[in-house]
Amino acid sequence: MEVVGISGTSAGAMNAGILADGLRRGGASQARLALRQYWEHVGHLPGYSSLGHLAPHYTWHLDHNPAFLWAGMLTRIWSPYQLNPTNYHPLRELLQRIDFEGLREDPSAPRVFICATNVRTGLRRVFHNAELSVDVLLASACLPQLYQAVLIGEDSYWDGGYTGNPALAPLYLGTDASDLIVVGINPMERPTVPQTARGISHRIDEISFNSTFMLELGAIAFVEHLMKSAAVQAPFRLLNVHGIGDELLGSFGFEQDEQRMGVPAASAGDRMAGR
């Protein structure tokens, strides 16, 4: 199995950059090590979790953390331009470990596609290897309630999840992959209807961020249907899409006592493009 392309958005953009860099430097083992080290360092950053003992019913996540809830209320009153006037981003330094120059110039490096949303036009932009940088990854993960829009060139960008979560078309058009492995972190389905304010808000976010992905899957299915029906005589190829998930993912977010999730998993073929 060979990874020929990786498409990532938001946290997936960080994974895409780290994964591609690790694969280029030393193959699969180096990529696994790089991913583990990066997220361990992210976990060591000072944050709300250090105040977890203040929560009346302590859990490892932040759903009931009073400091986190208080900060969330602040973001509804003040923007990141007021709360963070210096535009500090804790992940900027951690992302410096990626050899962006190598990813830009090495023709043997996996193809990387990072999606961000143009604030002015509302359209998505997919950045390719030749454009990769720390700012591109931060732009893809720029939640507008928390961070100032990231300026790249003459345009400002927000989180790519609004327009491509992740972008699938570049994997088909920009690689020769026959199999696509999708690693989902936002549940597609919930067995119950959320009844708390935070639960409703988070479910809206899940549906919104998954909508662009489902639209692209629908387009892929439509083209595949035309090909199989012989209605289209064109040099298209079939793209096998596989999903990787875990029923525990449903407990990683809001109101775990309300929600559980199940996502099917499948194996990949010989050449793959990763999300």
Side-chain angles (χ1 to χ4, degrees):
M1 182 178 66
E2 178 187 2
V3 178
V4 296
I6 310 164
S7 180
T9 294
S10 200
M14 313 294 176
N15 285 331
I18 298 289
L19 174 60
D21 185 46
L23 289 172
R24 192 187 73 83
R25 290 175 185 264
S29 61
Q30 179 61 37
R32 285 192 293 268
L33 176 63
L35 283 167
R36 184 172 70 247
Q37 290 178 339
Y38 174 76
W39 288 108
E40 285 178 348
H41 291 159
V42 170
H44 292 153
L45 289 173
Y48 301 115
S49 58
S50 60
L51 302 175
H53 63 280
L54 298 177
H57 303 289
Y58 178 73
T59 57
W60 60 267
H61 57 74
L62 302 176
D63 289 342
H64 303 293
N65 188 298
F68 178 72
L69 297 175
W70 176 74
M73 293 178 61
L74 289 183
T75 62
R76 298 177 182 274
I77 302 173
W78 292 298
S79 79
Y81 296 87
Q82 298 165 309
L83 292 173
N84 185 14
T86 63
N87 201 22
Y88 168 73
H89 201 301
L91 298 183
R92 180 175 292 277
E93 183 176 351
L94 292 183
L95 291 172
Q96 297 289 351
R97 69 187 64 196
I98 299 174
D99 181 8
F100 289 103
E101 183 178 357
L103 290 176
R104 289 193 296 263
E105 298 182 359
D106 187 351
S108 66
R111 298 299 86 192
V112 180
F113 308 100
I114 304 298
C115 184
T117 302
N118 187 306
V119 179
R120 183 179 57 82
T121 65
L123 300 177
R124 82 179 183 188
R125 176 175 173 181
V126 179
F127 294 89
H128 301 255
N129 286 58
E131 305 168 296
L132 294 181
S133 68
V134 170
D135 282 338
V136 167
L137 299 188
L138 293 181
S140 182
C142 180
L143 292 173
Q145 298 89 351
L146 300 179
Y147 299 106
Q148 297 181 24
V150 178
L151 182 65
I152 300 176
E154 298 182 353
D155 287 304
S156 296
Y157 294 90
W158 280 342
D159 195 294
Y162 298 112
T163 50
N165 195 29
L168 300 184
L171 292 171
Y172 184 89
L173 299 173
T175 76
D176 61 351
S178 60
D179 289 79
L180 169 65
I181 295 179
V182 180
V183 182
I185 60 173
N186 289 323
M188 291 289 186
E189 298 182 10
R190 292 283 186 178
T192 61
V193 176
Q195 298 182 6
T196 65
R198 285 185 58 77
I200 292 170
S201 176
H202 280 290
R203 185 56 182 155
I204 290 173
D205 286 342
E206 287 176 349
I207 293 172
S208 299
F209 281 122
N210 281 327
S211 62
T212 56
F213 172 66
M214 295 304 295
L215 286 172
E216 287 203 72
L217 277 186
I220 292 173
F222 175 70
V223 172
E224 180 177 320
H225 174 73
L226 291 179
M227 293 172 62
K228 290 182 176 180
S229 67
V232 174
Q233 298 295 329
F236 294 120
R237 71 180 188 278
L238 292 176
L239 183 63
N240 302 308
V241 181
H242 313 275
I244 292 182
D246 191 315
E247 62 180 5
L248 294 178
L249 288 177
S251 67
F252 284 6
F254 67 97
E255 308 300 342
Q256 64 175 356
D257 55 332
E258 281 190 344
Q259 314 291 338
R260 299 297 296 171
M261 177 199 75
V263 180
S267 61
D270 56 345
R271 293 177 64 79
M272 73 172 186
R275 173 186 176 188

